[in-house]
């Protein structure tokens, strides 16, 4: 369960809760739960009805008071104040991060409590609500009969040299790289989650090689200590004012902005998937909670049919769907039961792997395991209790038909896209990804905004290895822009996909833009090797946590342009020189 933060003896707040948390809350003395999050706001979010049923089954009073992130209105504040006046406490309010609920409480109490007292109380609970100060003062100074003037809500905006959106691999790595080059930078990282995950390890958790706990660390240990952690979610951009809007409506200013919030897993794009995951033999290594269930299913399956699916590209780690298949098949082969299991790999794509040089080596393992390849097969629906999955299959003539397959085990991978606040912004491409020049990773229209990681529109593999090479490029270019010059460091599209084809051997696929092979070691990269397995299982976690996230740029020196480019235009860029289009 999420950490509970007490604001008053009557009210506490928390980040997203699950139905399974309700019994524990009741046992801890809470009498009421308030859900401030609209349904279908984000991935992995249970709906309000499921939480209500669980809360009431545990004897808790439940209220759903949804508030749109970044748009807390006066009516929302009035409704929250009225609700607090009639419920029985102690009560627990929650939203995505707890910030929205804490903001509602502060605004609801501001008519009779000093704003500084409210801010100090929130700060003791690790919520920085200073961006609400102008609005809190309005409530404090107004009477009940006077309309509130909203014109001053944008005042007193805090401002940083560099503002980073996202505390995942990309956000932590680029922040560390920036501070390595200039320790005096004022940097803030906007990140709502309290935990940081080493996601490349989840495939190995699903194969019984890694312990899930070793892929998780507290976010406070991963964000560089010299940077300020803004424990909230970004909601919108105002590039013309060089500001980012947070979920509570407050603004944060910047001289340079780095956007890297990762991508969103769209479980709801597959009908029935959310209701089936974690039971009925349906699993996915793309979720921290589900990877151990994958290993449980692999161990239990002795005969029947196993389906492994891959959605349309792009997705994070394009090789992960088939890696789950290879490692599962290797276990079944070692146990002597593979001959009794039908293995189907169903991919929405038209090829096994996007870089042709690696396909022959992978096909040797497909044949070794007797797996059936089904291309142009997109998973659209799952019925867990019936153990059936439906696919839209496109033939060579472009005609589509619906195919149903029964299964005993289904490893599904959800479609993936940029977070909604990215897709709905003017800074995204037509496909919804954050727009960036492919070599400099700078936004083509706003010269002081950069992007890296999974959300970036550059056509590279979305892997942690790509971030290792992108972070120094962005760091150098950000500092160059802040000094009044143009970006010079360039990214060649490097990405790496360690394809775990069996327990003990890996094809270390390293490549750049256009599928160009970019091997780190002087060995044939197309050959499965035990050395690559040791790199993947023994060394990479330490390289990730102790080097990449700390600014130690192992074999990641950026290439540079041979000429000094002219800076691109950045609105209101008076702090780092007048820029021109270039």
């Amino acid at each position: 369960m999420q950490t509970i933060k007490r604001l008053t003896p009557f009210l506490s707040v928390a980040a997203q809760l699950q139905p399974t948390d309700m019994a524990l809350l009741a046992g801890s003395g809470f009498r009421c739960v308030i859900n401030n999050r609209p349904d279908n706001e984000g991935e992995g979010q249970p709906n309000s009805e499921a939480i209500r049923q669980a809360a009431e089954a545990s004897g808790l009073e439940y209220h759903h008071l949804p508030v749109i992130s970044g748009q807390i209105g006066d009516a929302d504040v009035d409704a929250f104040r009225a609700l607090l006046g009639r419920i029985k406490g102690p009560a627990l309010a929650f939203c995505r991060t707890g910030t929205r609920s804490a903001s509602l409480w502060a605004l609801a109490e501001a008519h009779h409590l000093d704003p500084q007292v409210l801010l100090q109380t929130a700060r003791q609970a690790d919520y920085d609500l200073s961006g609400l100060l102008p609005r809190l003062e309005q409530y404090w100074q107004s009477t009940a009969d006077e309309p509130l003037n909203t014109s001053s809500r944008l005042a007193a905006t805090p401002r940083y040299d560099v503002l980073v959106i996202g505390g995942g691999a990309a956000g932590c790595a680029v922040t560390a790289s920036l501070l390595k080059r200039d320790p005096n930078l004022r940097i803030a990282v906007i990140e709502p989650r309290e935990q940081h995950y080493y996601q490349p390890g989840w495939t190995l958790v699903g194969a019984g090689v890694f312990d899930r706990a070793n892929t998780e660390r507290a976010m406070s240990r991963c964000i560089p200590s010299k940077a300020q952690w803004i424990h909230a979610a970004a909601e919108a951009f105002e590039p013309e004012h060089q500001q980012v809007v947070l979920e509570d409506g407050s603004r944060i200013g910047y001289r340079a902005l780095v956007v890297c919030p990762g991508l969103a897993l769209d479980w709801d794009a597959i009908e029935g998937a959310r209701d089936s995951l974690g039971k009925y033999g349906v699993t996915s290594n793309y979720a921290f909670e589900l990877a151990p269930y994958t290993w449980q299913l692999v161990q239990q399956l002795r005969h029947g049919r196993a389906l492994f699916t891959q959605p349309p590209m792009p997705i994070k780690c394009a090789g992960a769907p088939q890696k789950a298949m290879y490692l599962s098949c290797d276990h079944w082969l070692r146990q002597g039961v593979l001959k009794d299991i039908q293995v189907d790999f169903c991919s929405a794509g038209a090829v096994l792997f996007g870089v042709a040089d690696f396909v022959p080596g992978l096909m040797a393992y497909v044949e070794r395991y007797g797996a059936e390849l089904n291309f142009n097969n997109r998973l659209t629906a799952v019925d867990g209790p019936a153990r059936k999955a439906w696919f839209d299959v496109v033939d060579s003539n472009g005609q589509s038909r619906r195919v149903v397959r029964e299964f005993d085990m289904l490893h599904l991978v959800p479609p993936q896209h940029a977070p909604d606040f990215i897709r709905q912004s003017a800074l995204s491409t037509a496909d919804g990804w954050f727009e960036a020049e492919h070599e400099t990773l700078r936004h083509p229209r706003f010269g002081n905004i950069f992007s890296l990681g999974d959300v970036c529109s550059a056509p590279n593999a979305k892997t942690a290895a790509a971030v290792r090479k992108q972070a120094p490029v962005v760091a150098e270019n950000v500092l160059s822009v802040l000094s009044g010059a143009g970006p010079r460091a360039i990214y060649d599209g490097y990405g790496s996909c360690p394809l775990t084809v069996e327990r003990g051997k890996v094809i270390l696929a390293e490549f750049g833009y256009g599928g160009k092979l970019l091997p780190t070691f002087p060995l044939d990269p197309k050959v499965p090797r035990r050395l690559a397995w040791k790199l993947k299982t023994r060394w990479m976690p330490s390289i990730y946590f102790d080097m990449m996230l700390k600014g130690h740029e192992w074999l990641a020196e950026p290439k540079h342009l041979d000429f000094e480019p002219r800076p691109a235009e950045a609105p209101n860029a008076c702090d780092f020189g007048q820029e021109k289009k270039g």
Side-chain angles (χ1 to χ4, degrees), residues 271-342:
E271 182 183 349
R274 192 181 294 275
D275 294 332
S276 298
L277 285 165
K279 49 191 174 182
Y280 312 123
V282 181
T283 187
S284 178
N285 289 340
Y286 275 72
F288 174 75
E289 299 82 4
L290 293 174
Y293 184 54
T294 301
W295 177 230
Q296 177 184 332
L297 293 174
V298 170
Q299 291 177 292
Q300 292 175 348
L301 190 63
R302 314 293 292 182
H303 59 82
R305 190 179 202 180
L307 301 181
F308 297 84
T309 74
Q310 179 171 303
M313 293 296 175
I315 61 173
K316 63 173 72 178
C317 191
Q322 59 186 286
K323 287 192 281 187
M325 176 183 69
Y326 298 138
L327 289 171
S328 299
C329 287
D330 180 66
H331 175 79
W332 293 325
L333 181 62
R334 294 171 187 265
Q335 295 297 310
V337 298
L338 182 58
K339 63 183 183 302
D340 299 317
I341 300 174
Q342 179 181 342

Side-chain angles (χ1 to χ4, degrees), residues 305 307 343-349 372-377 405:
R305 190 179 202 180
L307 301 181
V343 178
D344 287 1
F345 184 67
C346 302
S347 172
E372 180 178 333
L373 300 181
N374 302 278
F375 296 124
N376 300 310
N377 279 238
R405 293 184 174 93

Side-chain angles (χ1 to χ4, degrees), residues 459-481:
N460 60 281
K462 297 184 182 298
T463 66
V467 167
R468 186 171 64 85
K469 290 293 189 77
Q470 291 173 336
V473 170
V474 172
E476 288 198 9
N477 287 339
V478 165
L479 293 176
S480 181
V481 167

